[in-house]
Amino acid sequence: MRCRSCRGPAIIDVRRHNAAFCATCFTKHCRDQVSRTIDSYRMIDTGQKVLVAVSGGKDSVALWDILLDLGYDVDGLYIGLGIGDYSDESGRYARDYARSRGATLVEVALPSDYGFDIPTGSRAAKRAPCSACGLSKRHLFNKAALDGGYDVVATGHNLDDEAAVLFGNVLRWDLAYLGRQSPVLPGGEGFARKVKPLVRVGERETAAYCVIKGIDYIVDECPMAAGNRHIGYKEALNAIEAVSPGTKSAFLFGFLERVAPLVAATAEEEREGLHPCPECGSPTVSDVCAFCKLAARAGGAA
Ligand code: Q46
Ligand code: ZN
């Protein structure tokens, strides 16, 4: 196996690109994929401040690393979700990485800042843990970005994540979610722009990137992920990808190019019904926003 770029001995193959790379050319390839994604979706304008949501996992630390190497003005944001040892450990990885690069890590903790954690919140609100967690993270990413004067929030969603989300939305023909599925969600009244610069990079590649660059990350899965539908969708897509490399990427990018423009109007309509939450000021379509409702049910305070 020879490196596609320098013809030296390769250490990793990327079957969907029908290519193999040596360590140096592979990290460059990852950076190039991210740079190309940022440019083609106009994710970050010159001089803009970026806040990258860092969980301590491979995707988010790899993204932070790549954005720093590309020269962006980027700080990290770690959210303590109060998921026992998993949260303690993941926070440590995020802090260690920040220290290793002399980078700034903004921290927010649900238990100490809002008086509840994800296990309690999900039980109190009778929501699946990942649903309570997802809505809390969205709220807190946005709030941290607005409070800190950041223009853009970047998350580490990779190709496998986005293809699995798309697969789930298609299986249910959920047009509202399909309309919102984009690598870039525009900013606006009460919203920071949200971007996913890793959509062209696969999960196996972010792991390899971290290993090659000597970046430590939390390997354990979140204990609350068990039974999560998302995992089943990923496995189904992996089975297809194994026999037909490139399918995952064709599925996602075919949707983004050809179908997303047709369903975008559904998301637009939703945005028009937004007004500030009377409790916290975040944009919402209901009387009180989902995060404030969750915090109230869990006995905390937004
Ligand atoms: S942290 Fe939260 Fe994930 Fe854990 S509870 Fe689910 S959504 S699995 S990325
Ligand atoms: Zn609110």
Side-chain angles (χ1 to χ4, degrees):
M1 219 166 50
R2 298 252 141 221
C3 171
R4 176 165 87 180
S5 307
C6 73
R7 309 309 302 159
I11 54 139
I12 181 167
D13 67 327
V14 183
R15 284 179 70 205
R16 73 173 182 288
H17 292 317
N18 204 7
F21 297 94
C22 71
T24 309
C25 295
F26 178 72
T27 53
K28 180 176 182 303
H29 166 76
C30 292
R31 253 192 330 268
D32 289 349
Q33 294 289 89
V34 169
S35 177
R36 190 178 137 213
T37 305
I38 291 174
D39 291 346
S40 63
Y41 290 99
R42 308 192 57 187
M43 290 181 165
I44 305 169
D45 302 335
T46 322
Q48 284 194 320
K49 273 181 76 182
V50 184
L51 187 63
V52 59
V54 183
S55 68
K58 60 188 184 328
D59 303 308
S60 55
V61 280
L63 175 59
W64 197 4
D65 193 71
I66 292 172
L67 292 177
L68 284 168
D69 284 353
L70 286 171
Y72 286 103
D73 179 3
V74 54
D75 293 343
L77 167 67
Y78 175 75
I79 295 180
L81 299 165
I83 307 179
D85 295 349
Y86 172 76
S87 286
D88 298 340
E89 212 185 316
S90 57
R92 255 195 316 272
Y93 283 101
R95 279 173 222 122
D96 285 352
Y97 177 75
R99 215 171 297 125
S100 77
R101 296 285 309 235
T104 302
L105 182 69
V106 178
E107 291 203 46
V108 177
L110 268 185
S112 53
D113 296 330
Y114 294 90
F116 71 101
D117 55 31
I118 290 302
T120 319
S122 86
R123 270 195 307 274
K126 298 192 174 60
R127 290 184 92 120
C130 292
S131 150
C133 184
L135 80 84
S136 301
K137 286 194 285 195
R138 277 193 297 281
H139 175 88
L140 296 171
F141 291 165
N142 196 53
K143 182 171 176 348
L146 296 179
D147 290 353
Y150 295 92
D151 306 286
V152 184
V153 175
T155 58
H157 295 96
N158 59 38
L159 169 62
D160 300 65
D161 294 322
E162 289 301 287
V165 169
L166 174 62
F167 192 41
N169 290 339
V170 166
L171 289 177
R172 288 188 295 279
W173 291 117
D174 193 326
L175 290 185
Y177 279 112
L178 285 169
R180 259 180 274 152
Q181 188 163 3
S182 167
V184 50
L185 293 173
E189 232 5 67
F191 283 117
R193 187 188 304 162
K194 281 190 66 192
V195 303
K196 299 170 183 167
L198 288 184
V199 286
R200 280 198 179 87
V201 184
E203 197 157 279
R204 181 173 155 265
E205 292 138 51
T206 57
Y209 178 91
C210 289
V211 171
I212 291 170
K213 293 229 29 201
I215 301 170
D216 274 338
Y217 60 87
I218 185 161
V219 177
D220 293 342
E221 288 286 334
C222 167
M224 313 219 81
N228 178 330
R229 276 190 297 210
H230 193 68
I231 294 176
Y233 298 149
K234 273 191 178 175
E235 284 168 0
L237 289 173
N238 284 343
I240 301 171
E241 184 78 12
V243 288
S244 180
T247 305
K248 221 181 271 180
S249 163
F251 177 53
L252 178 63
F253 289 98
F255 165 79
L256 292 174
E257 278 154 32
R258 299 196 288 277
V259 185
L262 306 177
V263 288
T266 330
E268 286 288 310
E269 277 165 28
E270 213 173 67
R271 278 202 157 214
E272 281 161 20
L274 289 170
H275 58 87
C277 165
E279 307 269 327
C280 73
S282 296
T284 180
V285 284
S286 41
D287 47 350
V288 173
C289 83
F291 181 74
C292 287
K293 273 186 208 155
L294 175 69
R297 286 203 188 120

